[in-house]
């Protein structure tokens, strides 16, 4: 007798076939794009919504003055939306934090670091000296405002507290952008955690102190893309201009220069 095909086997076979078909279609689309011009067309960018965007807004405006026939589509997304659209070839580039374990198979992808980041403890305890690292158990006495639980920075915080065998601080509110977090901190006196770049760009508007954690919570901001994308002329030209722009003035300096005033 022949071997019976279980429903689970059939489902796995269909899923594998679907992925193969999507892979062929994506490759074909990229190969077509590789024959296009470096100075015309469209670039789809997915931008992590919890990242400060002022430096990128300024760069895209600069890029437009050089390449007015290249249309940039810049969309704020969650990290799960970003990975889904990368997988389906609906965006060309993602700007996000790494390392990210949302996707298990990195083989089709590559990344380019933009800056190194560190998560800072934002608080109102003026007995803590400036720049002194704060232990996790000392960061739990006051309630916190945080990102939603499925956001990258919330995930990194939970992992850091878990590794130190310390319970997460009491959460009293959740918001999806750093601007909202800071406005809540300023109005209520609760604590939070923010990337170094955002704090440095807005520290004069943040009514709280910043200290590193001990041990530190490090990560990076990076471009993520399918490997074939760099063979598309306008994507390669975009990267070249990005590197040139931030070599003239570094990312953090651009961020500070183009920062958006926080709401009152």
């Amino acid at each position: 007798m022949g071997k019976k095909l279980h429903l689970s086997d059939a489902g796995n076979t269909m899923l594998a076939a679907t992925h193969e078909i999507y892979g062929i279609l994506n490759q074909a689309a990229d190969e077509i794009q590789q024959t296009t011009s470096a100075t015309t067309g469209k670039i789809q960018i997915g931008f992590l919504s919890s990242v400060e965007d002022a430096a990128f807004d300024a760069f895209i405006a600069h890029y437009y003055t050089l390449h007015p026939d290249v249309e940039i589509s810049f969309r704020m997304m969650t990290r799960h939306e970003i990975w889904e659209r990368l997988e389906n070839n609906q965006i060309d580039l993602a700007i996000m934090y790494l390392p990210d374990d949302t996707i298990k198979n990195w083989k089709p992808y590559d990344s380019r670091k933009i800056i190194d980041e560190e998560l800072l403890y934002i608080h109102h305890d003026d007995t803590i000296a400036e720049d002194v690292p704060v232990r996790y158990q000392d960061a739990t006495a006051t309630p916190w405002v945080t990102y939603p639980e499925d956001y990258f920075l919330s995930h990194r915080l939970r992992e850091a507290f878990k590794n130190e065998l310390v319970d997460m601080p009491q959460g009293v509110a959740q918001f999806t952008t750093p601007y909202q977090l800071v406005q809540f901190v300023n109005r209520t006196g609760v604590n939070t955690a923010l990337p170094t770049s955002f704090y440095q760009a807005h520290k004069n508007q943040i009514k709280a102190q910043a200290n590193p954690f001990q041990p530190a919570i490090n990560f990076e901001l990076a471009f993520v893309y399918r490997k074939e994308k760099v063979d598309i002329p306008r994507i390669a030209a975009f990267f070249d201009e990005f590197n040139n722009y931030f070599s003239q003035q570094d990312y953090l300096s651009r961020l500070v220069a183009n920062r958006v005033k926080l709401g009152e």
Side-chain angles (χ1 to χ4, degrees), residues 33-51:
Q33 294 294 324
Q34 289 165 21
T35 65
T36 60
S37 169
T39 57
T40 60
K42 189 171 185 176
I43 300 176
Q44 302 267 7
I45 301 174
F47 191 86
L48 193 65
S49 59
S50 56
V51 176

Side-chain angles (χ1 to χ4, degrees), residues 64-174:
Y64 168 75
T65 65
L66 301 176
H67 304 286
D69 293 324
V70 176
E71 179 184 350
I72 304 292
S73 175
F74 191 80
R75 302 183 183 185
M76 296 288 194
M77 301 179 183
T78 67
R79 61 185 177 133
H80 297 291
E81 290 171 333
I82 282 176
W83 280 123
E84 180 181 356
R85 298 200 181 199
L86 279 172
E87 293 241 279
N88 295 328
N89 209 24
Q90 294 175 318
I91 57 175
D92 299 301
L93 306 172
I95 299 170
M96 60 189 303
Y97 293 134
L98 294 178
D100 190 334
D101 59 4
T102 303
I103 193 167
K104 306 303 180 185
N105 179 21
W106 265 91
K107 188 176 180 180
Y109 299 103
D110 207 345
S111 65
R112 296 190 184 195
K113 183 172 71 174
I114 299 170
I115 55 168
D116 289 309
E117 283 278 24
E118 181 178 356
L119 205 56
L120 300 178
Y121 175 46
I122 309 299
H123 63 94
H124 300 83
D125 186 350
D126 57 11
T127 66
I128 301 176
E130 186 177 357
D131 296 328
V132 172
V134 175
R135 299 180 305 167
Y136 291 85
Q137 57 264 42
D138 296 330
T140 61
T142 303
W144 279 42
V145 57
T146 64
Y147 288 106
E149 291 184 3
D150 60 338
Y151 272 53
F152 175 89
L153 295 180
S154 286
H155 175 71
R156 290 307 299 268
L157 272 170
R158 285 197 307 274
E159 287 297 307
F161 274 86
K162 178 181 176 181
N163 291 341
E164 293 301 303
L165 304 178
V166 177
D167 291 334
M168 279 286 292
Q170 176 193 358
V172 296
Q174 294 181 344

Side-chain angles (χ1 to χ4, degrees), residues 20-35:
E20 184 176 355
I21 291 170
Y22 274 122
I24 293 171
L25 292 175
N26 288 338
Q27 182 179 356
D30 287 341
E31 287 176 354
I32 292 171
Q33 294 294 324
Q34 289 165 21
T35 65

